[in-house]
Amino acid sequence: MGQYPKSSRPDGTWLLIPADNMIGWTQGFFPGELWLMYDQSREPDWRTRAEAWTQPLEVQQYNVQTHDLGFKFLPSYGLAYRLTNDDYYRQVLLRAAGSLASRYNPRVGIISCCDWNPDWHLPLVVDTMMNLELLLWASRNGGQSGWRDMALNHALRTQADIVRPDGSTYHVVDYDPNTGAQLFRGTYQGYSDTSTWARGHAWAIHGFTLVYRYTRDPRMLEAAQHVTDYYLGRLPEDAIPNWDLDAPTPQKDSSAAAIIASALLELSNYVPDTDKKVAYWNAALRMLDSLGSPAYLDTADTSPGILLHGVGNFPAGQEVDVSLVYGDYYFLEAVRRFQRQTRPPLPSDWYSRFDFAAATHTLGGGNTGLQVAEFDVTPLNHPLDAVIGYADSATSVTAFSQLSMLIRMNTSGLFDVRNGAVYAATNPVPYEALSTYHVRMVTDLGAGQYSVWITPPGGAEILLADRFVFRSGAPPIDDLGQVVLKSGAVDEEYRVSGHTVGGVRSSQPGFAAGTRALGDGNTGVLVAEFDVTPRTRPLDGVIGYADSSARVTSRSALALSLRLSPAGVFDAYDGTRYAATNPVPYEANATYHVRIVADLPAGRYSIWLEPPSGPEVLLADRFAFRAGAPVTDDLGQLTLKSTTAGEFQIAGHTLRPAAGALPAP
C-alpha cells in the first residue's frame, strides 16, 4: 500500500508511483478501478479494497504543485463519495479543489499546468480539461461558486487556443503570465507542433463533454462535437488510433481509444441530432469491440494490466507498447457506461437522480381526472432502494412525503407500491439489473386511488397494485403534474424511457408488451384514428390490429399493419407484402394524423396520413388483410411493435363505426 501502478514493465510487474509523489498524476486510477468494481458488484470486499487504496492519497489534498489533482482525486475520492456518501471524502475533495484553484491565473483565464519545465512560463496543456471536473464538482458540493467560472474560463481558452479550425488539437500553449501573449503553441508528447497527439485529443473530447455535463454551456457541446468529428474522420479500420494521428511511426495507443470510447457513450446523450447520437454510440462500440478483442485485451495474462499496446510518452521513449493504469481505468469506465446504456440514447430517456430537484420532471397542469401513465424502466444496479413518484403540479417536491403515488424498486429486489401508509404489492414482481420493464399506471385523481401493472421482459402484464390509495399525509393532488425519478444512493441508478401521460402509448420491443386489448365488440366497418410520433429515424415499427381471440406473437398475427419502414417512409401490408399507394416519408419527433377505415367483412382497409401542416394523403387504397393471418371478425387488439422501447408513440386512439362500407376495388 502507498505505491500505485502506472505502467507495465518487461518483467511483468508494474512501475509504481508513491502516494506522496506530488508531480506524478496517475495514483488515483487504481483506486478508481476498485471503486468501479464495487459499483458493479456491490460486494463489500471491493469496497474494503477501494477504501484502503484511496485513503493514502489524502496527502495530496494540499498539493499546489500541479494541475493533475482531478486525475488523482476524481477516480478515487470522487467515486468513493458518490458510492458511499461519506462526508470525509467530500471534505478532502473540497480541499483538493482549493489547491487546484490556487493555480488559476485570472489575467489569462487558465490553470497553469505545472512548474517543472523551465522552458514554460504559463503553460496551458490539453490534459487540464480533465482536471476541471474537480472544480466544477466542488462548486456544486460546498465549495466556492467562483470555481465554476474558473473551470469554464479555462475551457473556453482551450477551445480558442488549443483547438484548430479543422477540429484537430495542439498539446501545449505557453503564455506570458503578465500580458497573456502567446509565446509558444505546439506539442510536448506528440510527433510535431502541427500534429495531433492522440491521447491529448482524447482528453479534449472527454474534457469538453464533462464540462458540458456540469455547465450546459452550448459552446462546450459545440467544442466536444468539433473535436470528436475530426477524430472519427481519421479513425483507422480497427478504431484504435496511432499514438499521434499524423506520425509516420506506427504504434497504436489503446489508452486513447479507451478514453474516447467512454467519452462518446456520454456525449451521445447530449447531442440533439438523432443520427449523431447513433453515430457516436456506434463508434464507441467499435472501439470497445477492438479493445475487448485478443489484439488488445490481455487474455493470456502476459501483463499486470488489462489492456495491451498503450503509449505513454513516445518521443521520450517512455512507456511504449505497454499496459497503462489509466487506459485500464477508462476501459472499465466505458464498459460500465455501456452496461448502463446498451442501446443508442433516445430523446425520451430520463435517468434517476439523488437530488430531488434534479430528479423532478414537469408533466403539465392539465392531467386531471382519470389518467394513464406509461413508461419503460431499466434498473441499472441490483438491488436498489429507488422510487418513481408523482405529485401535483403546484407541489415543491423536496421529500418523499410530498409524493402521492410511489412505485418502488426495493432492497429485496422487488417492485412494490405505496398504499396509504405502507409499501405493498398485490403480486410482487422481481427486477433484475439491465432488464427493461414496461409500467402502466392508471390513476383516478378524484378517488385518490391508483393501479399499477408491470410487464417483465418477454412476459405477460402483471397486476402489481390494485386500487391502492394515495400516500397518507401527502399534499392535495388534483393533477398528475410532476414525476420524480429518485435514486436511493447515487445518480443514474435506473433509466425511464418513453414516459407518457393521458392515454399516450409507446411502442415496445416485444409483441406481448406492445399489445393492448381493445375489446371484442369492434365489428363491421370501423374507423380508427390517432396521432403517431416517431421518436427516431429510421426505425422498423408496426402499428397493427388483430382479432380479439388471436395470440399475437409475431407480425403474421396482424391482419392490418401500418409500418414506419427502415427506408424512412410509411407503408402498409397488402396481402403478402408491404406497399404504398402514395409513400409518405416520416421524420423524428414530427406528429402524423392517421385515419384507417377497416371493412372487416370484406377483409380490406384504407389508410390516410396527414403530415404536419400538410393535406391528408391516401397511403393504402383498399389493401387486403394479411394473407395467412388469423380470422379477423373484430379489431380486438392493437399492437405497437418496434425494435427498442419508445421508438414511436401514438396518442388519442379512437375506434368507431364507419358510415358505410369501403367501395369495391
Side-chain angles (χ1 to χ4, degrees):
M1 209 73 67
Q3 297 283 333
Y4 289 78
K6 183 185 181 189
S7 57
S8 63
R9 301 194 296 191
D11 63 359
T13 63
W14 283 111
L15 172 67
L16 300 175
I17 305 298
D20 61 357
N21 184 313
M22 297 294 156
I23 303 303
W25 64 281
T26 58
Q27 296 101 313
F29 293 111
F30 183 67
E33 292 179 47
L34 300 176
W35 283 116
L36 288 173
M37 295 305 296
Y38 172 64
D39 181 35
Q40 177 169 313
S41 68
R42 297 306 166 112
E43 292 291 336
D45 286 352
W46 284 114
R47 175 172 175 170
T48 300
R49 295 186 187 103
E51 289 175 332
W53 282 90
T54 294
Q55 290 177 4
L57 296 181
E58 182 179 345
V59 68
Q60 294 279 346
Q61 65 186 312
Y62 298 113
N63 182 0
V64 295
Q65 300 179 41
T66 179
H67 67 140
D68 282 322
L69 295 179
F71 282 133
K72 296 177 194 243
F73 280 100
L74 289 167
S76 55
Y77 277 78
L79 281 177
Y81 181 65
R82 184 172 75 83
L83 294 172
T84 68
N85 207 34
D86 186 334
D87 197 58
Y88 157 71
Y89 296 114
R90 185 179 72 91
Q91 294 297 334
V92 172
L93 287 163
L94 292 176
R95 288 189 285 271
S99 298
L100 178 59
S102 72
R103 298 192 61 82
Y104 182 73
N105 182 299
R107 179 179 294 275
V108 184
I110 69 163
I111 293 167
S112 173
C113 85
C114 49
D115 306 319
W116 50 262
N117 190 333
D119 296 330
W120 291 343
H121 304 80
L122 180 65
L124 165 69
V125 297
V126 71
D127 318 43
T128 310
M129 286 297 303
M130 296 296 293
N131 294 293
L132 299 180
E133 186 179 4
L134 181 59
L135 295 177
L136 293 165
W137 178 91
S139 70
R140 284 187 176 183
N141 290 274
Q144 297 180 25
S145 61
W147 292 346
R148 178 190 183 278
D149 296 333
M150 291 181 184
L152 183 57
N153 289 343
H154 180 102
L156 290 170
R157 176 67 76 170
T158 302
Q159 181 185 22
D161 293 350
I162 288 282
V163 180
R164 302 186 183 106
D166 64 356
S168 63
T169 51
Y170 294 100
H171 180 197
V172 183
V173 180
D174 190 30
Y175 303 91
D176 183 309
N178 297 311
T179 67
Q182 289 186 17
L183 304 175
F184 167 76
R185 188 157 65 163
T187 194
Y188 182 74
Q189 288 177 252
Y191 170 66
S192 74
D193 289 340
T194 58
S195 70
T196 297
W197 174 46
R199 192 168 78 247
H201 203 77
W203 296 141
I205 293 172
H206 207 310
F208 284 122
T209 298
L210 70 85
V211 175
Y212 180 74
R213 182 207 308 165
Y214 283 90
T215 67
R216 289 302 195 259
D217 189 302
R219 294 170 293 184
M220 295 297 95
L221 183 58
E222 177 188 359
Q225 292 182 81
H226 194 197
V227 293
T228 295
D229 292 344
Y230 176 83
Y231 177 81
L232 294 182
R234 304 287 301 277
L235 205 58
E237 185 66 27
D238 69 350
I240 310 298
N242 201 37
W243 70 278
D244 187 294
L245 303 187
D246 303 291
T249 311
Q251 182 62 60
K252 297 284 192 175
D253 182 12
S254 60
S255 73
I259 295 160
I260 293 172
S262 181
L264 292 189
L265 288 173
E266 179 175 3
L267 182 58
S268 67
N269 288 281
Y270 301 147
V271 294
D273 181 79
T274 300
D275 291 340
K276 188 157 280 192
K277 286 178 182 287
V278 175
Y280 287 175
W281 189 85
N282 285 336
L285 260 62
R286 285 180 57 205
M287 298 170 201
L288 288 178
D289 283 345
S290 282
L291 292 173
S293 73
Y296 292 96
L297 190 69
D298 183 25
T299 56
D301 200 24
T302 59
S303 168
I306 299 172
L307 294 180
L308 305 171
H309 311 311
V311 176
N313 188 337
F314 190 95
Q318 297 173 357
E319 301 169 337
V320 177
D321 199 16
V322 297
S323 294
L324 297 164
V325 69
Y326 44 91
D328 291 352
Y329 172 81
Y330 287 106
F331 177 65
L332 291 179
E333 181 183 78
V335 170
R336 188 73 182 116
R337 285 179 167 173
F338 172 71
Q339 288 177 325
R340 294 173 180 268
Q341 184 176 292
T342 55
R343 55 154 175 77
L346 296 173
S348 64
D349 287 346
W350 294 338
Y351 286 85
S352 64
R353 295 288 185 263
F354 183 70
D355 177 72
F356 272 100
T360 301
H361 297 265
T362 300
L363 303 175
N367 304 316
T368 59
L370 186 66
Q371 292 291 325
V372 179
E374 289 196 74
F375 55 88
D376 289 324
V377 60
T378 305
L380 302 176
N381 284 315
H382 181 279
L384 300 177
D385 186 13
V387 162
I388 301 162
Y390 292 85
D392 189 273
S393 58
T395 300
S396 177
V397 181
T398 58
F400 291 107
S401 60
Q402 293 156 334
L403 302 173
S404 295
M405 291 146 276
L406 301 97
I407 303 167
R408 184 176 67 165
M409 289 163 278
N410 67 31
T411 55
S412 298
L414 299 169
F415 285 99
D416 57 16
V417 175
R418 188 79 178 198
N419 189 9
V422 298
Y423 282 99
T426 303
N427 298 289
V429 179
Y431 66 86
E432 296 294 334
L434 308 177
S435 294
T436 298
Y437 302 82
H438 186 69
V439 179
R440 182 165 64 95
M441 182 181 79
V442 177
T443 297
D444 189 334
L445 292 159
Q449 293 184 337
Y450 63 121
S451 297
V452 180
W453 291 261
I454 300 281
T455 304
E461 189 174 70
I462 299 169
L463 179 62
L464 177 69
D466 187 12
R467 290 165 292 185
F468 282 12
V469 298
F470 292 175
R471 181 181 183 127
S472 304
I477 179 168
D478 56 20
D479 64 34
L480 209 61
Q482 299 178 84
V483 61
V484 179
L485 312 183
K486 180 67 172 67
S487 293
V490 299
D491 286 347
E492 298 187 4
E493 290 184 339
Y494 64 87
R495 179 181 67 230
V496 162
S497 303
H499 187 283
T500 60
V501 176
V504 179
R505 295 174 175 174
S506 296
S507 62
Q508 301 299 322
F511 281 93
T515 300
R516 290 286 179 269
L518 300 175
D520 58 3
N522 305 312
T523 58
V525 184
L526 300 165
V527 178
E529 289 195 76
F530 54 88
D531 291 326
V532 59
T533 305
R535 292 304 183 190
T536 185
R537 181 187 188 274
L539 57 93
D540 186 9
V542 165
I543 302 165
Y545 294 85
D547 190 273
S548 58
S549 64
R551 186 166 179 264
V552 182
T553 58
S554 69
R555 297 188 185 196
S556 61
L558 303 173
L560 298 74
S561 296
L562 169 65
R563 183 175 69 159
L564 293 88
S565 78
V569 298
F570 287 97
D571 56 18
Y573 210 86
D574 186 9
T576 59
R577 62 189 178 88
Y578 283 107
T581 304
N582 297 289
V584 178
Y586 63 85
E587 297 295 335
N589 299 311
T591 297
Y592 303 80
H593 185 70
V594 180
R595 181 166 62 94
I596 303 174
V597 178
D599 189 334
L600 294 166
R604 291 190 175 273
Y605 66 114
S606 296
I607 302 176
W608 290 262
L609 275 171
E610 184 178 331
S613 303
E616 190 175 67
V617 179
L618 178 62
L619 177 75
D621 187 11
R622 294 163 294 186
F623 279 15
F625 287 8
R626 185 181 188 118
V631 175
T632 305
D633 298 319
D634 60 32
L635 290 191
Q637 298 181 83
L638 170 65
T639 298
L640 309 182
K641 173 67 171 64
S642 58
T643 304
T644 59
E647 287 186 318
F648 68 88
Q649 296 173 338
I650 72 167
H653 185 277
T654 61
L655 199 58
R656 67 180 189 276
L662 280 173

